[in-house]
Amino acid sequence: MNKKHIMYTAVSSVLLSSSLLLHSIDATAAESAKVTATSLNVRATPSTSGAVVGKITKGNTVNIVDESNGWAKITYNGKEAWISSQYINKTQTNSTSTANSTSKSAVVNASSLNVRSSASTSASILTNLPRNSKVTVLKESGSWSQIKTASGQTGWVASQYLQAGSASSAPAKDSGSTTSKSATVNASSLNVRSSASTSASIVTNLSRNSKVTVLKESGSWSQIKTASGQTGWVASQYLQADSGQSSQTAQSIQITKASNLRTQPSLSAGIIRVAKAGERFKKVSEANDWVQIQYSASQTAWVSKGLTAAAGSTTSASLPSPSAALKDKIIVVDAGHGGYDPGTSGKSSIEKNLALTTAKLVASRLANAGANVFMTRSNDTFISLSGRVNVSEAKHADAFISIHYNASTSSSANGIASFYYSEAKDKELAKYIQESMAENAPSMKDMGVRFGDYYVTRENNQRAVLLELGFLSNAHDEQIVSSNAYQQQISTGIYQGIARYFAANK
């Protein structure tokens, strides 16, 4: 990871010690947090286009004065400055806080509840809890509660979506609604887990079109019985009810007009982003005139029902198909590293080789859909970072896709992520690709869309994203990403994400 960070990140100055960087501020307004990024840019304004006034290294503590739309205000060298909230971890609230300390058990009574880094709808989302999740309430402040999940993670939730109840780290055997219906797996490969959690052990794996019986539903999970008689839990969004049966979780909806995707079913709720006409999502539930959708593998969102239609309806049929949207688009596919630059490596895998395998599969799918595809390298050749960007700009690429595999000093780090540099130019494409990858490769942790200061995206005048497709430093990830099944899944996800982006932005 460190090698890759040095290679792709512009390091222009020696970092100052934390004693010079961090200054104390008013105790009544500050909240402490630790920097989780290797090197975090400090900016003059809350924007990725804001001037970089310094950097703070991993592990340093900062005092948060205020937060707004994913940015945290701090005092830096005696002046007001901003850092990205997604790269900090709140440690504790100052003792002068008006919050009331408590310790009681509670149960989530919403279909899906966002856990945030601070008591604000604009704060970054740490995780998402399904209905009936057990939590411990640590503190209350106004309409917010600081909670601790069964896995030990802490964060803030809206108090109205908690119901007093007994806490337990074990899954509730009787929670959820009992049912008995037939369904078919509609994912390329679906993990069956021992309990309703992505951290639960994998019991088995089902291929597309496998038949199952749904025994119980709980939040966004379904307890199923396989044809061989094995029982376990799966994500409901990857099941499709057999004909003659209805299932909200398996239904897809399509956005008919530009719509705000919100954190809760209310016009006053925070906006995650604006969805464009043509975007498709899995439907989770309905409440009054709102539809709850699966926004990503780990997050749900709400949209006004009047701005949606069932996928495949007359309303949505007039929208361009993904394949039609790709016709004549110029796509540059960049396989990271190569030649004497191997990238990172695992026990049996080398990044440059895996990246090239994935890149070729993605390029083939795009070309078959009518896109004009160019690869920065098609064999084991070293290409400089500037050389890769030159290809993108010389071809006037509609999209530049850089493919990589990740590494970390922590062997537990795992998952897939999409990185952008420019919010205006790149971020939306990154979102489409990340959502599609998570949908097609459910066995991998969805790390979401993140800002990344990489040369090939920073110096690129064309629309560009960088994808990290799994950690070779993690034995489980390495085993998955080395398989042919995963290569087919992830390349399909990347292709579909690009296609959906251009379908919605035709």
Side-chain angles (χ1 to χ4, degrees), residues 101-113:
S101 295
T102 182
S103 182
K104 60 185 179 182
S105 302
V107 179
V108 173
N109 64 1
S111 299
S112 179
L113 182 59

Side-chain angles (χ1 to χ4, degrees), residues 365-435:
R365 283 169 165 75
L366 291 168
N368 289 338
N372 294 322
V373 183
F374 300 91
M375 296 185 69
T376 56
R377 69 179 181 97
S378 56
N379 52 37
D380 190 13
T381 304
F382 174 78
I383 307 293
S384 67
L385 298 180
S386 59
R388 296 168 192 267
V389 173
N390 289 343
V391 173
S392 177
E393 296 183 345
K395 299 299 182 183
H396 302 288
D398 293 301
F400 173 91
I401 312 297
S402 189
I403 294 174
H404 292 259
Y405 286 84
N406 218 334
S408 173
T409 54
S410 170
S411 61
S412 63
N414 67 307
I416 55 178
S418 298
F419 292 86
Y420 66 92
Y421 183 76
S422 167
E423 285 199 28
K425 177 170 65 72
D426 311 325
K427 188 174 183 179
E428 189 172 3
L429 174 61
K431 286 182 175 179
Y432 273 90
I433 294 175
Q434 183 67 22
E435 290 165 11

Side-chain angles (χ1 to χ4, degrees), residues 8 33 35 44 51 53 100 109 121 150 162 186 200 223 252 309 313 324 354 373 467 490:
Y8 287 102
V35 173
V53 296
N100 297 318
N109 64 1
T121 54
L162 293 180
N186 64 0
Q223 186 184 38
S252 293
S313 67
L354 279 175
V373 183
L467 311 177
I490 203 67

